[in-house]
């Protein structure tokens, strides 16, 4: 008799991951398949929905094959998908994609988002975004991308001819609805156009307090020709795998397909973060802090953080996202890190391990070098078309004792943590009076003890790693919930703390100084101001003590 298995899928920015677990939460099989990311020009990111589906099929087949080779074999009883949040895919009346997906870190709609936000506030009230949408009308979210497409179609009708107006005018003419990547995979598996409640809250088009589409916003923005997808609670059954999907994936026809959640919310379940006082830090391509806030929205008046529904029905989270996190380290690896890639290949090790080892060779503060990680724009500082930078470079980098490139690498790691701390500070203020558990860290960055310790030092708060690794595991758990194998609370209890990283008080004190004096609000400061702030930090008592603590290991 075969073992009952549950499959979680994560349709990410760089690959589709799949993990299958049994009824006890044990990992049975895992696989991943990469697919292309297209960057036509700076600030634009696109993917082909068909390639998402092809990668998904390959990932599922790998998992199914691995389960069949087990003794005893295992069979998937339910599937649940997560994926990159906010990414927009248009569909025609035949449920076919119209053009490429515009991704969560695509900032081309910056002007349109500003126009859309002003329209919503002028027509529906100055506090409409705060009180109804509970989120800003962000340039890289679904709503702004839909408004962008509608505006390019309007430009085309006015006689403006270029590649963008032509392709989106044609798409808009045939568009009837929209989905995100995980919804697109659900569509391919079941034939149903559906979206989980979390997905609705990711669009800037949902009336969050009333758990329904904000149809008045659709009308004001001129996108009311679209019929938004039916909303489902995470963990509820949307449909079953069709015969065609079964042939493409190796899944059994009739397998349950369960509503999921965005990757950050899936990561929260994977990390066992479901209650107020618990916090998740996902460190992957982006860096995200997620904190449950209960059943009533807690909204930052400046709309620097976001409010979404979680995997627990009716429970909301507040989330702070830095678009450019792990991708900053990847940029160093791919652009400047040939020697590390070559060494990694020669010694059969992960190049990221070599990079973090190298970062250890220089003291906290990276000899005064600051990395601004906004290489794909940013939400917290409201810079959808922002750019990144290393700042504070001096000729000292050419001296052997400086560590050279180690300063650049450590500055990337520190800059990411500082940027995420901006969001953490906002959430702490919203949840004033709440006592927080150690921050649970998941994602690729959580596999690096050095980055975990760095996070604890910069946040000034304990950081814990868990038995779960990423969002696909969280969705495997939610698939089990949908199939009735266990409750969501039982699923969360399966997650155990593996290791806790306590802040080094001396090093943390310096980072607190560096954050407040140098990093915080650096995006809006002049070069002269930054130079003076860095100089003060490097001549402080806290810096001298931190360097001594670093030398002593």
């Amino acid at each position: 008799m075969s073992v009952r298995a549950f499959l979680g899928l994560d349709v990410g920015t760089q690959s589709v991951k799949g993990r299958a677990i049994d009824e006890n939460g044990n990992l049975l099989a895992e696989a991943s398949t990469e697919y292309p990311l297209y960057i036509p020009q700076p600030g634009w990111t696109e993917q082909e929905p068909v390639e998402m589906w092809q990668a998904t099929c390959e990932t599922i087949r790998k998992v199914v094959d691995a389960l069949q080779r087990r003794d005893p074999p295992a069979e998937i009883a339910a599937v649940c998908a997560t994926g990159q949040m906010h990414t927009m895919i248009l569909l025609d009346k035949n449920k076919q994609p119209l053009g490429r997906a515009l991704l969560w870190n695509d900032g081309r709609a910056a002007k349109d988002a500003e126009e859309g936000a002003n329209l919503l506030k002028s027509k529906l009230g100055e506090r409409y975004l705060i009180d109804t949408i509970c989120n800003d009308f962000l340039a890289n979210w679904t709503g702004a991308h839909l408004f962008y497409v509608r505006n390019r179609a309007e430009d085309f009708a006015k006689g403006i001819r270029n590649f963008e107006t032509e392709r989106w005018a044609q798409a808009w003419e045939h568009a009837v609805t929209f989905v995100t990547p995980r919804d697109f995979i659900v569509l391919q598996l079941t034939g149903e156009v559906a979206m989980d409640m979390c997905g609705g809250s990711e669009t800037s088009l949902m009336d969050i307090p009333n758990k329904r589409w904000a149809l008045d916003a659709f009308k004001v923005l001129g996108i009311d020709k679209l019929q938004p997808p039916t909303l489902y609670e995470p963990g509820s059954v949307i449909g079953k795998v069709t015969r065609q999907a079964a042939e493409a994936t190796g899944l059994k026809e009739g397998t349950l397909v369960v509503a999921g959640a965005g990757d950050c919310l899936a990561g929260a379940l994977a990390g066992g973060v479901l209650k107020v006082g618990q916090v998740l830090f996902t460190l992957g391509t982006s860096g995200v802090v997620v904190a449950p806030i209960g059943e009533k929205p807690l909204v930052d008046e400046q709309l620097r953080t976001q409010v979404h529904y979680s995997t627990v029905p009716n429970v909301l989270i507040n989330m702070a996202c830095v678009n450019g996190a792990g991708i900053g380290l990847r940029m160093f690896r791919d652009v400047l890190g040939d020697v590390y890639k070559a060494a990694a290949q020669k010694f059969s090790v992960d190049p990221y391990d070599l990079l973090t080892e190298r970062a250890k060779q220089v003291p906290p503060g990276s000899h005064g070098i600051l990395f601004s990680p906004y290489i794909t724009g940013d939400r917290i500082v409201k810079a959808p078309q922002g750019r990144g930078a290393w700042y504070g470079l001096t000729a000292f980098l050419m001296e052997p004792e400086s560590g050279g490139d180690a300063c650049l690498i450590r500055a990337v790691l520190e800059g990411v943590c500082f940027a995420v701390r901006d969001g953490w500070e906002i959430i702490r203020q919203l949840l004033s009076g709440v006592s927080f558990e150690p921050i649970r860290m998941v994602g690729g960055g959580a596999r690096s003890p050095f980055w975990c310790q760095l996070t604890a030092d910069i946040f000034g708060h304990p950081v814990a790693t868990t038995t779960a690794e990423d969002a696909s595991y969280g969705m495997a758990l939610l698939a089990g919930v949908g199939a009735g194998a266990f409750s969501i609370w039982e699923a969360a209890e399966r997650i155990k703390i593996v290791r806790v990283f306590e802040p080094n008080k001396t090093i943390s004190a310096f980072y607190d100084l560096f954050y407040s004096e140098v990093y915080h609000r650096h995006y809006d400061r002049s070069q002269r101001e930054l130079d003076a702030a860095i100089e003060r930090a490097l001549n402080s008592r806290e810096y001298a003590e931190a360097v001594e603590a670093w030398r002593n290991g």
Side-chain angles (χ1 to χ4, degrees):
M1 183 176 178
S2 61
V3 173
R4 199 174 180 216
F6 309 102
L7 175 63
L9 296 170
D10 181 3
V11 189
T13 309
Q14 303 175 57
S15 66
V16 177
K17 300 175 184 176
R19 291 191 171 190
I21 63 171
D22 63 18
E23 294 189 356
N24 294 315
N26 298 312
L27 182 65
L28 301 178
E30 59 184 329
S32 66
T33 306
E34 293 187 353
Y35 66 106
L37 170 67
Y38 302 99
I39 307 175
Q41 64 183 59
W44 293 21
T45 52
E46 304 175 354
Q47 287 179 316
E48 291 284 357
V50 171
E51 292 174 343
M52 290 179 184
W53 173 235
Q54 292 170 343
T56 300
C57 290
E58 186 173 343
T59 295
I60 295 174
R61 286 194 297 267
K62 291 174 184 175
V63 172
V64 169
D65 289 346
L67 293 176
Q68 291 175 345
R69 291 195 301 269
R70 290 181 60 88
D71 185 19
E75 184 173 273
I76 294 169
V79 182
C80 186
T82 183
Q84 46 183 290
M85 299 167 69
H86 319 298
T87 293
M88 183 274 296
I89 300 172
L90 279 175
L91 299 177
D92 66 16
K93 64 180 181 180
N94 297 315
K95 304 178 183 178
Q96 296 300 308
L98 293 163
R100 286 180 174 175
L102 300 185
L103 267 60
W104 59 274
N105 55 2
D106 182 296
R108 76 185 70 187
K111 292 182 180 178
D112 303 87
E114 185 177 355
E115 178 189 349
N118 289 334
L119 265 176
L120 292 170
K121 288 187 285 187
S122 65
K123 299 292 186 181
L124 300 174
E126 191 64 29
R127 291 188 59 85
Y128 183 78
L129 291 174
I130 296 172
D131 296 337
T132 301
I133 303 299
C134 299
N135 290 291
D136 205 350
F137 196 70
L138 290 167
N140 46 9
W141 280 28
T142 322
H145 280 147
L146 292 172
F147 189 51
Y148 172 89
V149 170
R150 177 257 185 201
N151 286 349
R152 299 298 76 75
E154 192 172 85
D155 288 344
F156 183 82
K158 293 175 180 177
I160 300 173
R161 299 289 191 268
N162 57 49
F163 177 71
E164 278 291 278
T165 61
E166 290 175 7
R167 69 163 170 166
W168 292 121
Q170 184 176 8
W172 188 248
E173 179 182 356
H174 299 288
V176 299
T177 190
F178 59 93
V179 291
T180 69
R182 62 182 181 276
D183 311 315
F184 184 71
I185 299 309
V186 167
L187 170 62
Q188 303 310 306
L189 290 172
T190 67
E192 301 292 334
V193 177
M195 186 176 287
D196 56 76
M197 200 65 68
C198 171
S201 65
E202 297 168 17
T203 62
S204 294
L205 295 171
M206 185 180 182
D207 178 347
I208 286 183
N210 293 303
K211 295 185 73 173
R212 64 191 181 198
W213 290 110
L215 298 180
D216 50 354
F218 280 76
K219 188 172 183 178
V220 166
L221 295 168
I223 59 173
D224 48 330
K225 66 170 283 186
L226 302 174
Q227 176 63 43
T230 302
L231 295 170
Y232 286 79
E233 292 285 2
S236 62
V237 176
I238 293 174
K240 297 180 179 180
V241 172
T242 64
R243 178 178 300 177
Q244 183 178 1
E247 292 173 352
T249 62
L251 291 169
K252 186 178 179 181
E253 182 181 357
T255 300
L256 297 179
V257 178
V258 175
D263 53 3
C264 299
L265 290 308
L269 175 56
V273 173
L274 301 180
K275 301 175 182 177
V276 175
Q278 295 179 322
V279 182
L280 181 86
F281 174 26
T282 300
L283 183 50
T285 302
S286 60
V288 184
V289 173
V290 175
I293 56 177
E295 296 189 6
K296 294 183 178 181
L298 288 177
V299 184
D300 172 45
E301 289 285 324
Q302 298 179 51
L303 296 174
R304 294 167 295 177
T305 60
Q306 293 81 54
V307 175
H308 299 303
Y309 279 100
S310 72
T311 53
V312 182
N314 300 317
V315 173
L316 293 156
I317 62 91
N318 198 287
M319 182 181 97
C321 178
V322 173
N323 289 349
I327 196 171
L329 195 59
R330 178 183 174 182
M331 179 191 69
F332 184 95
R333 182 199 69 179
D334 292 350
V335 177
L336 300 173
D338 285 349
V339 64
Y340 295 97
K341 289 189 288 185
Q345 185 174 17
K346 180 177 180 180
F347 297 106
S348 300
V349 296
D350 189 328
Y352 290 117
D353 291 339
L354 297 180
L355 290 172
T356 53
E357 280 298 316
R358 179 64 174 151
K360 294 179 184 179
Q361 308 307 309
V362 294
S366 306
H367 291 307
I369 295 175
L370 166 74
F371 179 70
S372 184
Y374 309 136
I375 59 175
T376 52
D378 195 66
R379 305 179 197 180
I380 297 174
V381 299
K382 295 187 177 295
Q385 294 178 303
R387 293 171 179 257
W390 275 286
Y391 185 78
L393 302 177
T394 69
F396 177 61
L397 277 183
M398 295 185 291
E399 298 298 325
E401 60 266 32
S402 74
D405 66 340
C407 295
L408 302 180
I409 300 167
R410 184 171 185 127
V412 169
L413 306 182
E414 291 174 336
V416 167
C417 291
F418 283 132
V420 177
R421 179 173 165 176
D422 274 343
W424 164 235
E425 293 295 339
I426 295 167
I427 291 173
R428 283 208 300 185
Q429 291 172 16
L430 289 171
L431 289 167
S432 178
V434 171
S435 178
F436 293 100
E437 298 178 9
I439 296 169
R440 300 188 182 197
M441 193 164 165
V442 299
R447 291 193 285 271
S448 165
F450 177 71
W451 215 340
C452 292
Q453 184 62 54
L454 188 64
T455 302
D457 291 340
I458 288 177
F459 281 31
H461 193 86
V463 166
T465 55
T466 72
T467 51
E469 290 191 25
D470 63 12
S472 61
Y473 183 87
M475 290 300 91
L477 289 172
L478 201 56
V481 171
F486 38 73
S487 72
I488 196 164
W489 302 106
E490 290 170 333
E493 288 172 359
R494 300 176 191 276
I495 311 304
K496 305 300 180 185
I497 298 294
V498 174
R499 181 178 175 185
V500 176
F501 296 82
E502 295 287 346
N504 180 305
K505 291 182 179 180
T506 303
I507 292 176
S508 187
F510 165 69
Y511 276 136
D512 194 56
L513 173 74
F514 197 87
Y515 171 76
S516 60
E517 292 289 326
V518 179
Y519 188 87
H520 187 52
R521 303 185 189 281
H522 78 275
Y523 192 75
D524 297 310
R525 297 167 74 182
S526 71
Q527 182 170 344
R528 194 176 302 277
E529 289 176 309
L530 278 176
D531 285 347
I534 291 171
E535 194 66 21
R536 286 195 302 271
L538 295 184
N539 285 287
S540 68
R541 171 182 55 82
E542 289 87 348
Y543 179 65
E545 292 175 350
V547 171
E548 186 64 25
W550 166 75
R551 285 176 177 156
N552 293 332

